[in-house]
């Protein structure tokens, strides 16, 4: 029996963001943009969706005089990501 | 973008690629702090050894406090010169805690050594810093740090053997050449050889 894939995570950019954040403690918006190659606008929208689902925490702060946005995965996000990977496995191991 | 459907295989590949990218960032600029503290200790040790030979006064021992001064200034300059840190990994936190604990311990023991003259301070600091390098090597899975740290621990025992001799200061300096300077240069060389800034294009 196939498990249902979380539609919020089964999107290329959102999954890329979650995969990056699962392996680091926190990451700057610029870093995520560099690693995913996404546009700032698109990335902002996807990060906002993940934040609304309580999958990531977003902290807006300053580094010197420059504004910076730090993203961190939440426990809910980790659980959702693990569930997504388990679901994906059920499709692969068939 | 939201509407783009991925196959299960593509999803797994994307997850694996992103995790790999974040791992690549861990090893860049790894050797900087090791080199700063290594050179600060070696230069100070050699100056103190020369001072002992020619000046023959115990006041020269206060020269050890140049290590935190040179190291502190070096770290400040390094942090200013480097690009802002865009990502903090769990390994960064572990390494920071290791060196915070070892650094404070080394400071406290060094101050105590001025009160208790029989303390084998060079042996203790040598073994402490070498153990820190071994631990760092284990955490970041970098063999040169592990091997050089172990060598540093072994050399530290010679400081105990020659404790009463000024020659022990040169042995102490050699601990830092072996455990910090050589692997620090190796780490920098290796991080310079690789392109850590892989930028995969996620379709828009």
């Amino acid at each position: 029996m196939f498990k249902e894939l979380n539609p919020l995570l089964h999107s290329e950019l959102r999954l890329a963001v979650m995969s990056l954040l699962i392996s680091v403690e926190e990451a700057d918006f610029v870093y995520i943009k560099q690693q995913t190659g996404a546009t700032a606008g698109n990335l902002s929208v996807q990060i906002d969706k993940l934040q609304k689902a309580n999958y990531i925490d977003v902290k807006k702060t300053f580094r010197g005089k420059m504004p910076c946005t730090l993203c961190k995965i939440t426990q809910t996000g980790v659980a959702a990501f693990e569930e997504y990977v388990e679901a994906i496995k059920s499709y692969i191991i068939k | 973008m939201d509407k783009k459907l991925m196959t299960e295989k593509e999803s797994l590949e994307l997850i694996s690629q992103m995790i790999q990218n974040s791992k690549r960032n861990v090893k860049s600029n790894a050797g900087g702090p090791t080199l700063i503290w290594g050179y600060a200790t070696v230069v100070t040790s050699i100056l103190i050894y020369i001072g002992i030979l020619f000046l023959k006064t115990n006041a020269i021992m206060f020269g050890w406090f140049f290590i935190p001064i040179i190291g502190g200034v070096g770290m400040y300059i390094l942090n200013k010169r480097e690009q802002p840190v865009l990502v903090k990994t769990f390994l960064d936190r572990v390494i920071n805690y290791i060196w915070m604990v070892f650094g404070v311990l080394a400071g406290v023991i060094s101050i105590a050594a001025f009160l208790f003259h029989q303390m084998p301070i060079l042996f203790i600091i040598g073994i402490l810093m070498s153990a820190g390098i071994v631990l760092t090597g284990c955490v970041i899975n970098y063999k040169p740090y592990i091997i050089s740290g172990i060598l540093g621990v072994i050399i530290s025992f010679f400081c105990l053997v020659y404790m009463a001799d000024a020659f022990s200061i040169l042995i102490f300096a050699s601990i830092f050449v072996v455990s910090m300077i050589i692997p620090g240069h190796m780490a920098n060389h290796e991080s310079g050889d690789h392109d850590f800034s892989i930028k995969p294009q996620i379709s828009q």
Side-chain angles (χ1 to χ4, degrees), chain A residues 12-14 23 25 28 49, chain B residues 1-2 22 86 88 203:
Chain A
E12 203 172 4
L13 183 51
R14 286 197 295 266
S23 48
E25 194 165 309
D28 190 287
K49 284 184 183 174
Chain B
M1 165 79 204
D2 277 350
S22 65
L86 296 178
K88 199 197 284 178
S203 56

Side-chain angles (χ1 to χ4, degrees), chain A residues 5-20:
Chain A
L5 291 175
N6 182 342
L8 199 61
L9 293 184
H10 199 58
S11 137
E12 203 172 4
L13 183 51
R14 286 197 295 266
L15 183 61
V17 172
M18 290 295 281
S19 305
L20 274 178

Side-chain angles (χ1 to χ4, degrees), chain A residues 10 12-14 19-20 23-26 28 31 34-39 42 46 49 63 84 88 91, chain B residues 1-2 4 6 8 11-12 14-15 18 21-22 25 84-88 90 93 200 202-204:
Chain A
H10 199 58
E12 203 172 4
L13 183 51
R14 286 197 295 266
S19 305
L20 274 178
S23 48
V24 301
E25 194 165 309
E26 63 181 17
D28 190 287
Y31 172 80
Q34 282 171 356
Q35 296 298 316
T36 57
T39 61
N42 192 16
Q46 306 311 327
K49 284 184 183 174
R63 186 179 291 118
Y84 178 82
I88 284 281
Y91 282 82
Chain B
M1 165 79 204
D2 277 350
K4 185 179 187 296
M6 293 180 291
E8 298 75 35
S11 289
L12 278 182
L14 179 65
I15 292 169
M18 286 296 133
N21 281 2
S22 65
N25 276 275
V85 180
L86 296 178
V87 62
K88 199 197 284 178
F90 300 102
R93 188 165 64 166
I202 302 296
S203 56
Q204 305 297 307

Side-chain angles (χ1 to χ4, degrees), chain B residues 139-183:
Chain B
V139 169
I140 64 171
N141 194 21
Y142 187 59
K143 273 188 187 162
Y145 275 9
I146 300 173
I147 296 166
S148 59
I150 292 170
L151 287 175
V153 169
I154 295 167
I155 300 169
S156 299
F157 283 93
F158 287 95
C159 283
L160 207 54
V161 175
Y162 295 98
M163 198 179 137
D165 199 323
F167 178 64
S168 63
I169 294 172
L170 290 184
I171 299 172
F172 180 70
S174 72
I175 296 169
F176 287 82
V177 172
V178 171
S179 67
M180 288 192 171
I181 293 177
I182 295 172

Side-chain angles (χ1 to χ4, degrees), chain A:
Chain A
M1 187 68 185
F2 294 136
K3 291 178 185 173
E4 197 185 334
L5 291 175
N6 182 342
L8 199 61
L9 293 184
H10 199 58
S11 137
E12 203 172 4
L13 183 51
R14 286 197 295 266
L15 183 61
V17 172
M18 290 295 281
S19 305
L20 274 178
L21 293 179
I22 197 106
S23 48
V24 301
E25 194 165 309
E26 63 181 17
D28 190 287
F29 181 86
V30 177
Y31 172 80
I32 301 172
K33 189 171 159 287
Q34 282 171 356
Q35 296 298 316
T36 57
T39 61
N42 192 16
L43 185 58
S44 282
V45 172
Q46 306 311 327
I47 282 180
D48 195 46
K49 284 184 183 174
L50 291 170
Q51 188 188 14
K52 279 183 180 149
N54 196 29
Y55 285 0
I56 62 171
D57 265 339
V58 178
K59 193 168 69 184
K60 291 185 188 294
T61 178
F62 285 88
R63 186 179 291 118
K65 287 178 183 172
M66 298 292 287
C68 74
T69 305
L70 297 173
C71 303
K72 189 176 183 174
I73 198 163
T74 61
Q75 285 302 315
T76 315
V78 172
F81 185 82
E82 283 172 353
E83 203 177 303
Y84 178 82
V85 172
E86 281 306 313
I88 284 281
K89 275 193 209 163
S90 72
Y91 282 82
I92 302 280
I93 311 163
K94 55 187 174 184

